[in-house]
Amino acid sequence: MPAAPDISCRQVEVHVAVACGNVLGESPVWSQHERALYWTDIRAPALFRLDVRSGEVARWPMPELAGSVALRAMGGVIMGLQSGLFSFDPGTQSLGRILDFTAGHPEDRTNDARCDRQGRLWFTRMRDFGRTDTGGLFRLEASRMPVELISGVTIPNAICFSPEGRRFYFADTPKESLDAFEMTETGVSFRRLGTVVPPGLIPGRPDGATVDSEGHIWNARFGGGCLVRSAPDGSAHVIYRLPVSRPTSCSFGGERLDRLYITTARQGLDATQLVAEPLAGALLAIEPGVQGLAEPAFAG
């Protein structure tokens, strides 16, 4: 990756999509079929859905820490809860266990999750607040057989995929490095290509991420009060300032996939900081002038 990348800042209008006051908003994912955005508040714990046509916001309480949500091809969504992965039907509000986490490290919880172009679910596990390095990155096949890809992780984040699906991006947040990996033709193994965003280059630390139609990576910078759009080779980075210090993730949505939704957090902010950041915990949105990619759904 380049030793001296180009770094610039761009002004963009920030909209409040939902004033939801999340403690730890996370895992936004756009359903093109429903014309709706799903996301979670890990701490509530709850699942949210914004119907952009009606403006209606639905909220479903969850029984455990709700780390992630992903689309499912047969309908509904996949919830990453503390004790496992569950199918959830918003119509019936029923949960069905798909994968159990009670063995191994039951104290860990899910965090980030996204589906790849092949319909496989990539999800992460971590000890809450990153207290240990027992976390990791996993992939769930349609057959529901999980495979551990990366272990020894503290706070796994930033799972996203290049437009053609051959490359993926990943970060262990405390290490502050957003890295690129290339999968083999079969998608069974992979190799690390290098660092897209090295430690200390951009304010904050890497949290959730997505990729646009041009292959650039959008990364929420927790503690840095911004998003960064990075070229896949790390040669250029554009910083987009936000009115909150703790953005947590981002995902493209809208009819033309040209609106970028951003989840944010209030967690860890004291009373004085919350007064200074009245939008902390809101679902925000920007129109960055580039389109995203339709989110794949889990095939299992």
Side-chain angles (χ1 to χ4, degrees):
M1 300 296 175
D6 177 64
I7 302 175
S8 61
C9 293
R10 187 169 299 170
Q11 297 294 322
V12 65
E13 185 177 0
V14 180
H15 308 274
V16 178
V18 182
C20 44
N22 292 159
V23 177
L24 185 54
E26 263 290 1
S27 195
V29 60
W30 173 258
S31 169
Q32 193 75 343
H33 172 69
E34 298 180 51
R35 299 295 192 270
L37 186 88
Y38 286 92
W39 77 99
T40 71
D41 182 348
I42 295 178
R43 300 291 174 208
L47 171 67
F48 291 80
R49 182 181 65 192
L50 168 64
D51 185 324
V52 298
R53 289 171 293 191
S54 67
E56 180 183 357
V57 178
R59 181 184 186 276
W60 296 280
M62 289 290 134
E64 303 167 359
L65 295 177
S68 64
V69 57
L71 305 178
R72 193 181 192 191
M74 66 177 64
V77 296
I78 301 295
M79 294 298 303
L81 304 184
Q82 178 148 8
S83 68
L85 297 178
F86 292 78
S87 62
F88 179 71
D89 183 336
T92 63
Q93 301 184 36
S94 59
L95 282 168
R97 190 183 295 271
I98 288 178
L99 188 64
D100 185 81
F101 293 152
T102 54
H105 299 285
E107 304 91 347
D108 290 357
R109 65 167 176 83
T110 56
N111 196 46
D112 200 18
R114 281 198 188 272
C115 292
D116 64 17
R117 312 293 174 214
Q118 292 75 43
R120 301 172 298 192
L121 177 63
W122 296 54
F123 66 94
T124 64
R125 298 275 291 155
M126 61 170 279
R127 190 64 49 88
D128 203 18
F129 296 102
R131 294 189 179 99
T132 70
D133 63 356
T134 55
L137 172 64
F138 301 81
R139 188 176 66 214
L140 186 67
E141 310 289 331
S143 62
R144 302 189 186 181
M145 292 297 294
V147 176
E148 185 173 32
L149 303 174
I150 300 175
S151 60
V153 181
T154 304
I155 304 179
N157 261 315
I159 305 169
C160 55
F161 304 90
S162 60
E164 80 290 342
R166 286 286 306 279
R167 181 180 290 200
F168 74 91
Y169 304 94
F170 180 72
D172 186 351
T173 296
K175 294 180 179 178
E176 301 186 9
S177 177
L178 176 61
D179 297 326
F181 301 81
E182 185 177 53
M183 289 181 276
T184 61
E185 289 291 341
T186 61
V188 175
S189 60
F190 60 90
R191 65 186 180 93
R192 182 178 178 276
L193 294 175
T195 297
V196 178
V197 184
L201 184 69
I202 304 297
R205 302 194 296 178
D207 209 319
T210 192
V211 172
D212 63 33
S213 60
E214 297 176 2
H216 288 233
I217 305 98
W218 291 79
N219 182 218
R221 305 294 296 186
F222 191 86
C226 65
L227 299 176
V228 62
R229 182 184 189 241
S230 301
D233 62 357
S235 61
H237 308 274
V238 181
I239 296 172
Y240 293 76
R241 299 289 182 185
L242 299 171
V244 296
S245 62
R246 299 187 171 188
T248 57
S249 191
C250 53
S251 187
F252 282 94
E255 294 288 338
R256 295 179 296 277
L257 296 174
D258 57 356
R259 174 165 269 219
L260 189 64
Y261 289 95
I262 307 151
T263 50
T264 69
R266 298 164 57 86
Q267 177 174 286
L269 298 177
D270 61 28
T272 301
Q273 290 170 312
L274 288 172
V275 169
E277 294 185 35
L279 297 183
L283 177 70
L284 305 178
I286 64 172
E287 295 173 358
V290 65
Q291 289 181 303
L293 299 164
E295 286 285 349
F298 178 51

